[in-house]
């Protein structure tokens, strides 16, 4: 099996002589497949140029010890498409096996990790790739959680015939995600008018509005919370959703939309002048991001079986932000790394009690001062890139 | 009619406390054009410091006020030195995240040290006056008086002194000010201290009016004041006060008409509605974007 893997790896490495450098993503050949040729080629020029200047600006002012233009990594690290497919299948198998072999604690941590990874990658789309700043991601999660919980607890029992949860659970989660996406649309509309600080304020206000609205709706329990959600979230399900999320995200950021939002990050006015339809790109991004946050919320609700408005407060948003900026902005692999490191760190710091809540923001501040790009900022493992 | 006047007085009282905090947000935004989300927590620390002070030695109100403003002002300057100065030239997002993180650090440290809400002792004998059916307590007069005094002092300082001129110049063009040989860093630290001191004063006044001090005050009240600053147009002093009084009266109105749990919902909805129609606040000007 390992030999087979190795063979495949060598084979694909031979095929792809390209390195994993950051600017590869913006290569024009790569772009030809999507959208109108001239537009995208122009975007690619402008964005790759200013991308470098962006990282340079960050490093020079902060005097980071190492430069972003490190020598490109070589083919030995590359994972080919087929290998990553095997890895995904292997992970899928182990997600069935792990709950049997390991303790509940480990399974629980792995489920949390996967949910965190979904949240992190969906926020990374707005904060990392689009360069906007959203603080209100916990609100989408809350909407997804409440939406799917309402369907499970209140609506499903009304249906006369019984359905197996294997069929209904994904539908409920998707319904929660769709609800969150629907709520994401007005926020996207607001983001057309404002940028930067003011958008951050709007998302913050949005989070507060959702939270206090939930506190005032007695149908979902008000401030007491929503009880009696069945524990449907299992490791294989979460794994499935995480894989789906990462797969869709990978394709999204390499699509026309993804390139558009990267161009928006670099310079919105220039992007608009080059013919990028910034509005539809922003709308698409907000909708997709909030959809996956809603999915994570639905999974979360069915994992811990109890949700209340105060579990979706600003601290949760901050935790997602920590994951994004720890793992690395504008990087799918970074989101995975960030979620992993964060979840494990959160467990290790358990003995600190309340002081643990101090360490996470502290980590965020230190990250901002010393390494604002995060561990994998603007870099990508090859398995998260599309084949050229 | 009496009822309305009574509510107006309540609105002015709440609005003046919001106004003091909002001034701190606006001062910092004017100078550095960054949102100092930790400001609400400095307000909370002001209340806590005063509580601690009164537990150790009972001081008269004016002395407690001065001491609180001094200490929290120093803390604000320290925060600027440690957390915000290293990232001053980084992209704006870093500044927002850092201030958010600093706020949460301060809040959670307070929570870890004092997990339960505490009762604030009264600092003076509260007497109640009646005029034709309107009730005013001496506390209300003192709160409104002190905040108005501080606001006028700040306005005079910004408008008429050299220091105020430098702060205004910093808001205009930071590079030019440093080229003219003015120690910009020191002035920025001072502005932070000034904002923090105003927030701390508001914290003390708030704790006197509603005598429960808890670590969640920073988010509950401080961020309301932030809304006020944004409604008025952040960076604009008069706008901050205008926003504070608008928010104060809206809140008082919503409390008198609806269950008080709708308070947050209405305050944040007001913010959203105003930002939809005036994306940079009532008195704010859109930033010029260089191409």
């Amino acid at each position: 099996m390992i030999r087979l893997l190795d063979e495949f790896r060598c084979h694909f490495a031979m095929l792809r002589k390209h390195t994993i450098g950051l600017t590869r993503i913006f290569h024009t050949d790569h772009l030809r497949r999507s959208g109108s040729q001239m537009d995208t080629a122009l975007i690619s020029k402008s964005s790759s140029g200013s991308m470098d200047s962006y990282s340079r600006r960050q490093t020079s002012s902060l005097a980071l010890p190492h430069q972003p233009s490190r020598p490109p990594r070589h083919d030995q690290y590359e994972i080919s498409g087929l290998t990553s497919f095997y890895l995904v299948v292997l992970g899928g198998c182990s997600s069935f096996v792990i709950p049997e072999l390991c303790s509940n604690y480990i399974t629980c941590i792995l489920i949390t990790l996967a949910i965190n990874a979904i949240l992190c990658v969906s926020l990374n789309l707005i904060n990392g790739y689009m360069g906007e700043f959203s603080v209100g991601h916990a609100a989408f999660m809350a909407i997804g959680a409440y939406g799917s919980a309402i369907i499970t607890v209140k609506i499903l029992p009304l249906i006369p015939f019984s359905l197996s949860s294997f069929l209904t659970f994904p539908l409920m989660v998707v319904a929660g995600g769709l609800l969150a996406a629907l709520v994401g649309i007005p926020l996207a509309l607001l983001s057309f008018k404002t940028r930067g600080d003011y958008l951050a304020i709007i998302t913050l206000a949005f989070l507060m509005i959702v939270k206090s609205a939930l506190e005032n709706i007695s149908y979902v329990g008000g401030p007491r919370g929503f009880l009696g959600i069945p524990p449907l979230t299992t490791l294989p399900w979460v794994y499935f959703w995480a894989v789906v999320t990462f797969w869709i995200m990978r394709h999204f950021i390499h699509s026309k939309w993804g390139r558009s939002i990267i161009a928006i990050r670099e310079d919105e006015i220039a992007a608009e002048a080059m013919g990028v339809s910034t509005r539809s790109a922003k709308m698409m991004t907000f909708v997709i991001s909030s959809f996956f946050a809603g999915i994570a919320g639905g999974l979360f609700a069915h994992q811990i079986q109890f949700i209340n408005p105060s579990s979706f407060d600003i601290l949760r948003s901050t935790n997602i932000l920590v994951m994004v900026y720890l793992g690395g902005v504008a990087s799918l692999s970074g989101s995975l790394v960030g979620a992993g490191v964060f979840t494990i760190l959160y467990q290790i710091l358990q003995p600190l009690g309340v002081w643990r809540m101090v360490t996470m923001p502290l980590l965020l501040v230190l990250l901002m001062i010393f390494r604002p790009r995060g561990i994998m900022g603007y870099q990508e493992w090859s398995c998260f890139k599309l084949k050229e | 009619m009496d009822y309305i006047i009574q509510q107006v007085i309540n609105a002015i009282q709440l609005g003046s406390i919001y106004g003091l905090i909002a001034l701190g947000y606006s001062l910092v935004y004017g100078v550095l054009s960054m949102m100092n989300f930790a400001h609400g927590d400095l307000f909370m620390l002001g209340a806590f410091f005063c509580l601690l002070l009164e537990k150790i030695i009972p001081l008269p109100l004016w002395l407690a006020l001065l001491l609180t403003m001094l200490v929290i002002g120093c803390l604000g300057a320290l925060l600027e030195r440690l957390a915000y100065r290293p990232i001053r030239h980084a992209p704006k997002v870093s500044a927002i995240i850092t201030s958010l993180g600093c706020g949460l650090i301060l809040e959670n440290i307070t929570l870890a040290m004092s997990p339960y809400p505490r009762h604030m002792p009264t600092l003076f004998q509260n007497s109640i006056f009646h005029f034709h059916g309107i009730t005013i307590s001496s506390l209300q007069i003192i709160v409104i008086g002190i905040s108005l005094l501080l606001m006028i002092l700040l306005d005079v300082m910004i408008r008429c002194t050299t220091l105020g001129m430098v702060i205004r110049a910093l808001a205009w063009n930071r590079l030019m000010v440093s080229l003219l040989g003015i120690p910009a860093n020191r002035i920025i630290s001072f502005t932070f201290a000034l904002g923090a001191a105003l927030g701390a004063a508001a914290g003390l006044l708030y704790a006197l009016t509603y005598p429960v001090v808890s670590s969640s005050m920073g988010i509950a009240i401080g961020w309301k004041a932030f809304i006020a600053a944004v409604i008025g147009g952040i960076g604009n002093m008069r706008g901050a006060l205008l926003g504070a009084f608008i928010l104060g009266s809206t809140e008082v109105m919503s409390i008198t008409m609806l269950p008080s749990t709708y308070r947050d919902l209405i305050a944040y909805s007001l913010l959203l509605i105003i930002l939809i129609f005036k994306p940079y606040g009532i008195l704010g000007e859109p930033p010029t974007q260089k191409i």
Side-chain angles (χ1 to χ4, degrees):
Chain A
M1 179 74 187
I2 291 168
R3 265 195 68 174
L4 197 70
L5 277 179
D6 269 335
E7 252 182 60
F8 268 109
R9 190 180 297 165
C10 292
H11 183 64
F12 276 91
M14 287 279 279
L15 275 179
R16 299 202 285 164
K17 285 281 182 183
H18 304 304
T19 51
I20 312 179
L22 176 72
T23 44
R24 280 316 298 171
I25 301 171
F26 304 102
H27 199 272
T28 332
D29 293 348
H30 197 133
L31 280 166
R32 269 189 196 130
R33 287 184 299 154
S34 63
S36 111
Q37 197 175 332
M38 200 183 77
D39 283 359
T40 39
L42 283 169
I43 299 163
S44 89
K45 256 182 210 161
S46 75
S47 53
S48 63
S50 50
M51 177 68 132
D52 285 344
S53 74
Y54 178 71
S55 19
R56 220 177 9 251
R57 197 163 65 227
Q58 280 207 329
T59 38
S60 61
S61 61
L62 290 159
L64 281 180
H66 42 108
Q67 296 298 312
S69 55
R70 56 174 72 174
R73 298 190 193 168
H74 286 292
D75 295 0
Q76 60 196 26
Y77 292 116
E78 284 203 20
I79 303 173
S80 65
L82 205 56
T83 317
S84 51
F85 176 72
Y86 284 145
L87 282 176
V88 166
V89 171
L90 198 70
C93 296
S94 55
S95 76
F96 282 97
V97 177
I98 286 173
E100 305 295 325
L101 296 179
C102 301
S103 64
N104 271 344
Y105 177 63
I106 289 175
T107 316
C108 182
I109 289 176
L110 286 175
I111 291 177
T112 315
L113 196 156
I115 293 176
N116 280 345
I118 298 174
L119 281 173
C120 181
V121 77
S122 64
L123 184 63
N124 215 337
L125 199 61
I126 295 180
N127 281 23
Y129 288 98
M130 194 157 70
E132 294 288 7
F133 186 69
S134 163
V135 205
H137 223 55
F140 296 123
M141 194 185 167
I143 290 166
Y146 271 91
S148 61
I150 287 170
I151 295 175
T152 321
V153 178
K154 310 244 170 175
I155 296 177
L156 273 189
L158 300 179
I159 298 174
F161 47 92
S162 68
L163 292 163
S164 82
S165 66
F166 183 78
L167 277 175
T168 53
F169 183 50
L171 289 180
M172 288 171 317
V173 172
V174 168
L178 287 178
L179 202 64
L182 204 66
V183 178
I185 290 174
L187 206 59
L189 289 176
L190 284 173
S191 80
F192 295 165
K193 269 186 157 181
T194 50
R195 259 197 84 102
D197 295 345
Y198 281 85
L199 190 66
I201 297 166
I202 286 174
T203 55
L204 182 73
F206 175 70
L207 170 65
M208 294 295 188
I209 288 173
V210 167
K211 190 174 162 246
S212 64
L214 286 175
E215 274 168 1
N216 282 307
I217 301 173
S218 55
Y219 179 69
V220 293
R224 278 180 295 118
F226 197 109
L227 285 160
I229 306 164
L232 296 176
T233 303
T234 53
L235 194 57
W237 267 128
V238 180
Y239 181 78
F240 166 75
W241 279 115
V243 169
V244 166
T245 311
F246 274 86
W247 187 77
I248 291 180
M249 287 294 176
R250 188 181 73 160
H251 282 263
F252 181 76
I253 56 175
H254 289 97
S255 73
K256 178 182 138 199
W257 305 110
R259 283 167 218 293
S260 305
I261 60 172
I262 292 171
I264 290 173
R265 174 184 70 198
E266 297 305 327
D267 194 327
E268 188 168 350
I269 294 175
E272 208 162 353
M274 294 294 173
V276 174
S277 75
T278 51
R279 296 202 159 190
S280 53
K282 279 182 176 180
M283 177 66 88
M284 199 72 183
T285 311
F286 267 99
V287 165
I288 287 191
S289 174
S290 48
F291 174 75
F292 283 109
I295 289 218
L299 294 170
F300 173 78
H302 290 85
Q303 183 205 0
I304 63 168
Q305 301 164 49
F306 167 71
I307 44 176
N308 62 344
S310 56
S311 57
F312 302 103
D313 59 353
I314 186 74
L315 196 65
R316 179 158 306 271
S317 276
T318 320
N319 284 347
I320 309 172
L321 282 174
V322 174
M323 283 182 241
V324 170
Y325 288 93
L326 178 71
V329 284
S331 161
L332 295 180
S333 28
S335 306
L336 196 59
V337 170
V341 172
F342 176 86
T343 315
I344 294 165
L345 205 64
Y346 209 67
Q347 295 303 321
I348 293 172
L349 294 176
Q350 200 89 44
L352 288 179
V354 187
W355 288 97
R356 181 176 63 170
M357 285 170 21
V358 180
T359 54
M360 285 303 154
L362 188 65
L363 184 67
L364 191 59
V365 172
L366 292 179
L367 269 174
M368 279 301 120
I369 295 175
F370 295 109
R371 193 176 165 85
R373 282 183 305 134
I375 298 171
M376 297 280 301
Y378 304 113
Q379 292 167 358
E380 206 70 273
W381 291 336
S382 56
C383 55
F384 286 113
K385 293 205 277 183
L386 284 187
K387 243 186 288 174
E388 287 169 30
Chain B
M1 189 62 202
D2 289 346
Y3 183 71
I4 294 173
I5 293 176
Q6 185 72 55
Q7 296 310 328
V8 167
I9 292 171
N10 288 343
I12 290 176
Q13 185 196 1
L14 193 62
S16 54
I17 290 178
Y18 283 155
L20 274 187
I21 315 172
L23 280 178
Y25 281 114
S26 266
L27 264 176
V28 170
Y29 191 85
V31 172
L32 277 185
S33 59
M34 71 165 275
M35 308 263 175
N36 182 14
F37 283 120
H39 188 66
D41 296 281
L42 289 170
F43 154 81
M44 179 264 301
L45 283 180
F48 261 97
F49 181 77
C50 178
L51 179 73
L52 196 71
L53 208 64
E54 293 300 322
K55 282 268 157 70
I56 300 168
I57 21 168
L59 289 172
L61 177 64
W62 63 273
L63 201 56
L65 183 71
L66 280 184
L67 260 178
T68 311
M69 286 176 75
L70 192 69
V71 171
I72 302 298
C74 291
L75 189 69
L78 189 73
L79 194 68
E80 193 271 332
R81 179 69 195 82
L82 290 182
Y84 300 152
R85 198 174 294 178
I87 52 147
R88 194 176 290 164
H89 301 288
K92 254 186 173 178
V93 171
S94 314
I96 301 179
I97 298 170
T98 310
S99 65
L100 207 61
C102 288
L104 281 169
I105 291 173
L106 291 178
E107 187 195 332
N108 288 330
I109 287 178
T110 321
L111 181 70
M113 293 213 226
S114 154
Y116 306 107
R118 306 206 170 213
H119 182 75
M120 178 83 185
T122 48
L123 296 187
F124 55 88
Q125 191 61 44
N126 193 6
S127 46
I128 292 168
F129 309 105
H130 295 279
F131 301 104
H132 309 290
I134 303 162
T135 319
I136 301 182
S137 65
S138 56
L139 182 69
Q140 277 178 319
I141 296 174
I142 284 178
V143 167
I144 295 173
I146 290 180
S147 12
L148 284 184
L149 181 73
L150 285 173
M151 286 168 193
I152 290 168
L153 276 181
L154 182 75
D155 197 58
V156 168
M157 203 206 85
I158 295 284
R159 247 155 239 294
C160 306
T161 63
T162 322
L163 193 62
M165 200 165 76
V166 174
I167 291 178
R168 275 183 290 146
L170 265 179
W172 195 254
N173 190 338
R174 191 160 72 225
L175 185 67
M176 196 61 212
V177 168
S178 4
L179 282 179
L180 290 175
I182 295 163
N185 274 337
R186 226 179 291 165
I187 304 289
I188 289 173
S189 288
F190 174 76
T191 316
F192 259 86
L194 196 66
L198 287 177
L204 197 162
L205 296 178
Y206 187 83
L208 284 180
T209 332
Y210 311 95
V212 179
V213 180
S214 74
S215 60
S216 60
M217 250 166 80
I219 285 183
I221 311 300
W223 284 21
K224 290 280 184 55
F226 176 67
I227 302 177
V230 177
I231 288 176
I234 193 157
N236 186 322
M237 304 289 153
R238 309 240 157 132
L241 292 183
L242 179 69
F245 287 111
I246 290 177
L247 186 71
S249 35
T250 316
E251 282 216 329
V252 168
M253 257 178 359
S254 75
I255 292 170
T256 50
M257 292 175 190
L258 293 166
S260 66
T261 45
Y262 285 93
R263 195 176 154 170
D264 285 9
L265 192 63
I266 285 170
Y268 285 101
S269 309
L270 177 76
L271 171 70
L272 266 195
I273 291 164
I274 287 189
L275 282 189
I276 288 169
F277 293 108
K278 303 275 290 181
Y280 298 97
I282 297 174
L283 296 183
E285 288 161 7
T288 48
Q289 202 164 9
K290 291 179 191 121
I291 301 174

